[in-house]
Amino acid sequence: MTKFRRMKPIPASELVINADGSVYHLNLRPEQIAHTVFLVGDPGRVPRVSRHFDSIEHQVQRREFVTHTGTLAGKRLSVLSTGIGTDNIDIVLNELDALVNIDFETRTIKEQLTSLKLIRLGTSGCLAADIPVGSIVVSAYGIGLDNLASYYQRTVSDDEKNMEKEFEEFARSVGVDLRVYAARGSEQLLKVFNAHRAGITLTCPGFYGPQGRNLRLRSIYKPRFFDEVGKFNHSGFGITNFEMETSAIFALAGMLGHQALSCNAILANRLRKEFAEDPAAVVNNLIEKILETVAASEEF
């Protein structure tokens, strides 16, 4: 767990608590969240997950943040929509941590800290030719092309530092100068979901230019970047996919002492120029497979 030195009460301007005792953006009170949380981007995906629960005890919504908490196979679980992008992840991860690790009455950090299990259920594009559309991939690492982690005083492992340097050198070799951060997911949770292909996920701070799409504006990427980037390898893991949240989840979870894993349904293969014919079915398969694993595992 990250050690915090702050002992004084946290000011109201830094931790905003609503009149009903809920945290500012998520609108959740501490008792309304489980210690295993599924993170989905789309608010409409929340009921697609919670319909598999045996019971639902809380349903809360504010803006794009929708939360359902209930039980499955005797395990208390929450599913929460983050919206799109690492900026929203900054809100969600900090407020989830506040719900379990800050006493809202005294506004002080608890002496006994709680480690959450955070599992992203997302959709993604694929950067490896041998991964078919419709597959499930899990992330051992996230590489952030955004700059969220730079706003925090973060201890980076030698492994993560090496990965950052290696990827930046690789990117320059295929025509683009990038500054990135690397963050490792939970090795413990990765073992639980070892039935699925594991790799490295690129997290982009946008859908168009940051992912090399050209409409009326030209991206900085050379045409061959996304053709070549799948060849990058670190510690036996290659780059499998790209999306818009994973690196931030891993970086913030690591700093806060939580376990995090990202599980993504592959809707598109960038190299094959393919897109899923039935995206809803692909997402439903992801939800069912991951929930089956959680229900059967003693880890949760």
Side-chain angles (χ1 to χ4, degrees):
M1 277 277 188
T2 302
K3 299 295 184 181
F4 292 94
R5 295 179 180 274
R6 186 171 202 166
M7 302 301 293
K8 295 181 180 179
I10 299 170
S13 60
E14 296 191 32
L15 173 64
V16 182
I17 300 173
N18 299 318
D20 64 354
S22 64
V23 72
Y24 185 49
H25 296 92
L26 302 186
N27 209 38
L28 292 167
R29 297 190 302 275
E31 71 273 11
Q32 294 177 317
I33 199 74
H35 291 175
T36 296
V37 184
F38 297 105
L39 302 175
V40 300
D42 180 4
R45 198 174 300 154
V46 172
R48 292 170 68 182
V49 176
S50 67
R51 71 183 181 186
H52 297 281
F53 291 0
D54 298 323
S55 63
I56 299 175
E57 59 187 79
H58 298 294
Q59 297 185 54
V60 178
Q61 178 173 3
R62 186 175 187 181
R63 300 183 184 180
E64 65 266 51
F65 306 114
V66 179
T67 305
H68 290 183
T69 295
T71 58
L72 174 66
K75 305 171 194 291
R76 193 167 186 254
L77 308 169
S78 293
V79 54
L80 187 161
S81 60
T82 65
I84 297 174
T86 57
D87 51 346
N88 273 20
I89 295 301
D90 183 63
I91 291 171
V92 170
L93 265 287
N94 277 289
E95 292 195 1
L96 280 177
D97 181 76
L99 285 165
V100 296
N101 287 322
I102 296 175
D103 185 319
F104 280 19
E105 293 295 324
T106 63
R107 293 181 166 274
T108 57
I109 296 165
K110 297 177 180 178
E111 291 187 12
Q112 185 66 40
L113 299 178
T114 296
S115 179
L116 299 171
K117 292 182 173 67
L118 306 170
I119 302 173
R120 166 169 155 75
L121 299 177
T123 57
S124 182
C126 182
L127 292 168
D130 64 333
I131 299 178
V133 168
S135 300
I136 295 171
V137 299
V138 297
S139 308
Y141 294 88
I143 294 179
L145 306 186
D146 63 301
N147 64 350
L148 178 64
S150 67
Y151 287 93
Y152 292 94
Q153 297 179 22
R154 178 177 173 234
T155 301
V156 183
S157 69
D158 289 340
D159 180 41
E160 291 166 333
K161 287 179 184 176
N162 290 336
M163 188 177 193
E164 291 168 359
K165 181 180 178 180
E166 291 167 9
F167 184 80
E168 288 175 356
E169 290 175 352
F170 179 88
R172 284 193 292 272
S173 76
V174 289
V176 61
D177 189 15
L178 296 171
R179 294 293 178 267
V180 306
Y181 64 91
R184 184 156 195 163
S186 167
E187 296 179 67
Q188 192 171 340
L189 291 182
L190 188 63
K191 292 176 182 177
V192 175
F193 297 95
N194 62 9
H196 305 291
R197 173 82 169 262
I200 302 166
T201 297
L202 287 184
T203 295
C204 307
F207 184 77
Y208 289 97
Q211 293 187 22
R213 290 183 171 90
N214 299 296
L215 301 183
R216 292 184 60 235
L217 300 175
R218 302 299 295 179
S219 170
I220 64 169
Y221 299 109
K222 300 291 192 270
R224 67 190 184 104
F225 178 77
F226 285 102
D227 293 331
E228 297 289 331
V229 75
K231 297 177 182 178
F232 178 79
N233 188 284
H234 176 83
S235 296
F237 294 102
I239 289 183
T240 49
N241 62 310
F242 65 124
E243 42 77 274
M244 298 172 65
E245 288 84 25
T246 293
S247 64
I249 294 171
F250 284 5
L252 290 174
M255 286 185 276
L256 290 165
H258 304 300
Q259 295 185 58
L261 195 70
S262 183
C263 305
N264 283 278
I266 300 300
L267 295 186
N269 188 299
R270 189 67 171 251
L271 302 185
R272 294 183 180 184
K273 312 296 184 187
E274 296 174 350
F275 193 85
E277 293 182 3
D278 189 349
V282 174
V283 172
N284 287 339
N285 179 63
L286 168 74
I287 293 169
E288 290 168 8
K289 294 296 185 185
I290 300 305
L291 286 179
E292 286 172 7
T293 301
V294 169
S297 174
E298 296 181 358
E299 185 67 32
F300 301 93

